[in-house]
Structures are given as C-alpha cells and as structure tokens.
Amino acid sequence: MIKFFLMVNKQGQTRLARYYEHIEINKRTMLEAEVIKNCLSRSKDQCSFIEYKDFKLVYRQYAALFVVVGINETENEMAVYELIHNFVEVLDKYFSRVVSETLNLLFLS
C-alpha cells in the first residue's frame, strides 16, 4: 500500500505531497526532510529502493525533479517504480514538459 507520494526539486523543496495515511503536520515535515535527505544524497549508480524505518522508499529522478513514494514492506518495488514513470509520462503528455516551474504554477493557482 502506498503511504505517501512526494515530488521534490534538487534543492530539497517539496513541490507536491500527498499522504494516504494520517500523519500529524509536524511529523510530516520531519518525515519529508529525512526522506529528501536520504534520496538526494544517493548517487545515480545506487539502487532506487531504500528501506527506511518501517517502510520502503521508491524514487526516480527526472532532471531536477525527484519523485518519491513511501510504501509498506509487502508492496512490489518494481511495480511502484513503473507507476512513478507512468505518472511522469502522463504529466509530460498533458503539460508538454514536466519541470519544477510548471508544477509551481499548477499548485499555486
């Protein structure tokens, strides 16, 4: 099961955050900071799956944008990895080019 979905730029700023389990606001901030730090610190040669606390992180990088999904331990990592890719492809088709500035415009309006 997906616990949360994050889109983050290279500077570590969250551009989109959706939670599918209740997490208090102050804990969300701490969770996002730790998750972002873990994902941004990894090199491109490292695996895109990270075991973190009681769940797994699956992430993909597209130019300056990171998409991170938190899942429980029973979820298939490769299926979520492909889900991320399909989601970004849909955004790319719909908005013609997915970049951080486009997402800023979307979620500020």
Side-chain angles (χ1 to χ4, degrees):
M1 181 172 96
I2 295 176
K3 294 184 175 211
F4 59 86
F5 187 94
L6 301 173
M7 293 181 87
V8 181
N9 66 12
K10 275 191 173 180
Q11 289 76 35
Q13 299 168 320
T14 303
R15 296 298 176 203
L16 171 70
R18 293 288 180 255
Y19 290 86
Y20 302 102
E21 287 185 346
H22 176 72
I23 300 175
E24 295 176 18
I25 298 295
N26 58 349
K27 290 184 180 179
R28 286 183 186 186
T29 307
M30 291 177 10
L31 174 71
E32 286 178 26
E34 292 175 15
V35 165
I36 291 167
K37 186 179 91 175
N38 281 335
C39 292
L40 292 178
S41 66
R42 296 174 65 89
S43 71
K44 290 187 179 187
D45 297 332
Q46 291 180 300
C47 181
S48 294
F49 312 140
I50 304 170
E51 289 194 22
Y52 177 77
K53 294 189 179 181
D54 62 337
F55 54 90
K56 296 178 188 176
L57 302 174
V58 178
Y59 71 94
R60 271 186 108 144
Q61 181 181 0
Y62 294 92
L65 192 66
F66 282 82
V67 181
V68 183
V69 179
I71 59 174
N72 65 6
E73 294 180 359
T74 60
E75 191 68 47
N76 184 339
E77 298 95 345
M78 286 303 293
V80 174
Y81 191 72
E82 284 301 311
L83 172 75
I84 294 169
H85 184 68
N86 288 335
F87 177 73
V88 172
E89 280 187 355
V90 168
L91 287 178
D92 190 41
K93 293 278 187 202
Y94 190 78
F95 295 107
S96 75
R97 186 171 176 102
V98 177
V99 292
S100 184
E101 291 76 23
T102 304
L103 291 172
N104 279 340
L105 295 174
L106 282 173
F107 298 109
L108 290 176
S109 56

